[in-house]
Amino acid sequence: MDSTNLKAMHALMKKRGTNQLDDLTTGLVNSMSYSNSDVIYPEFTDVKAGQGVEPEWFYAVYRGANGFSELNAINQYISQEALFDDIGELMLGIALVEMKHMDKLGDFILKLEGKVTQEYNTSHVDYGKTARQAVEFGVRSEQRTVTEYKKIAGKVSALPENKTTEVTLQLLAKLIADEEKHLSLFENWLEENK
């Protein structure tokens, strides 16, 4: 390969995202049956602090010790995957999507000049004593998460429209679509395992 081709190849490689693992995991998670691939994550390039969207609105869904945060869901579903073999794949698949949610929310919060280092404890994590109970807890958690995201969407929708509010609503649409997919997966499991 001559030096011209090498330079062109290097230029192409540099144009990729700065975090290629982030790009890879987004693609992987979006191709799984545990994510709603009809809705995609927006780019955060146009997000700016001071445009009405407050980073604090996302703290509770990011890593709050509240029974519905993304960190809560990751802890819950990963633990349930280990505890209950018959729902292990379901819980791990959903946990991977929740990890991507937390990753994207962290990036978004930082774009809004917020903090991602809040305290966390597991006192609100429900694991269940049976696979059925674990899935029922998952249903409750997903319902609460959807409710919280819709509350935030209501706040954002009430703001004057700008690029930041537009991207925020796109992000919330993706998160809600995935959480509703999880809810559907859990409800289907409960129906099939009466």
Side-chain angles (χ1 to χ4, degrees):
M1 188 173 283
D2 65 33
S3 64
T4 306
N5 286 339
L6 282 175
K7 286 179 185 176
M9 197 160 104
H10 182 68
L12 284 173
M13 290 171 61
K14 288 175 69 176
K15 287 182 183 177
R16 291 185 183 139
T18 56
N19 185 338
Q20 291 179 15
L21 187 57
D22 184 41
D23 295 343
L24 175 69
T25 57
T26 297
L28 173 68
V29 168
N30 281 342
S31 70
M32 297 170 54
S33 61
Y34 305 101
S35 174
N36 185 335
S37 59
D38 292 336
V39 184
I40 61 170
Y41 290 105
E43 294 292 324
F44 298 156
T45 50
D46 292 330
V47 173
K48 293 183 177 56
Q51 299 293 306
V53 179
E54 299 297 329
E56 294 82 4
W57 295 350
F58 295 89
Y59 291 170
V61 291
Y62 178 66
R63 66 181 291 156
N66 51 27
F68 61 82
S69 74
E70 297 297 343
L71 185 56
N72 188 99
I74 294 164
N75 183 298
Q76 179 178 337
Y77 300 152
I78 291 291
S79 297
Q80 290 168 332
E81 183 272 339
L83 291 168
F84 309 108
D85 287 340
D86 46 342
I87 59 170
E89 183 178 325
L90 175 65
M91 293 312 203
L92 183 57
I94 292 174
L96 289 170
V97 176
E98 303 294 7
M99 286 179 207
K100 183 47 68 175
H101 289 178
M102 189 170 180
D103 171 54
K104 292 294 187 180
L105 279 170
D107 293 345
F108 187 73
I109 289 168
L110 290 175
K111 285 290 278 188
L112 295 174
E113 299 179 0
K115 304 181 307 184
V116 294
T117 56
Q118 303 91 21
E119 300 267 330
Y120 179 75
N121 69 59
T122 60
S123 65
H124 289 86
V125 180
D126 292 321
Y127 303 106
K129 297 192 184 322
T130 66
R132 181 168 195 80
Q133 192 176 48
V135 173
E136 289 169 349
F137 288 161
V139 167
R140 276 202 309 263
S141 295
E142 297 296 330
Q143 288 170 333
R144 289 182 68 196
T145 305
V146 168
T147 298
E148 292 302 316
Y149 282 136
K150 286 182 177 180
K151 283 181 190 174
I152 297 169
K155 288 180 186 181
V156 175
S157 295
L159 295 171
E161 195 173 314
N162 58 49
K163 287 289 190 184
T164 299
T165 59
E166 182 182 318
V167 171
T168 304
L169 291 173
Q170 291 170 356
L171 173 62
L172 289 165
K174 171 59 175 166
L175 297 170
I176 291 168
D178 283 351
E179 303 298 2
E180 287 176 341
K181 173 81 174 197
H182 301 165
L183 188 54
S184 175
L185 290 167
F186 285 147
E187 289 170 342
N188 288 343
W189 187 93
L190 289 170
E191 184 63 29
E192 292 169 5
N193 295 277
K194 285 183 179 181

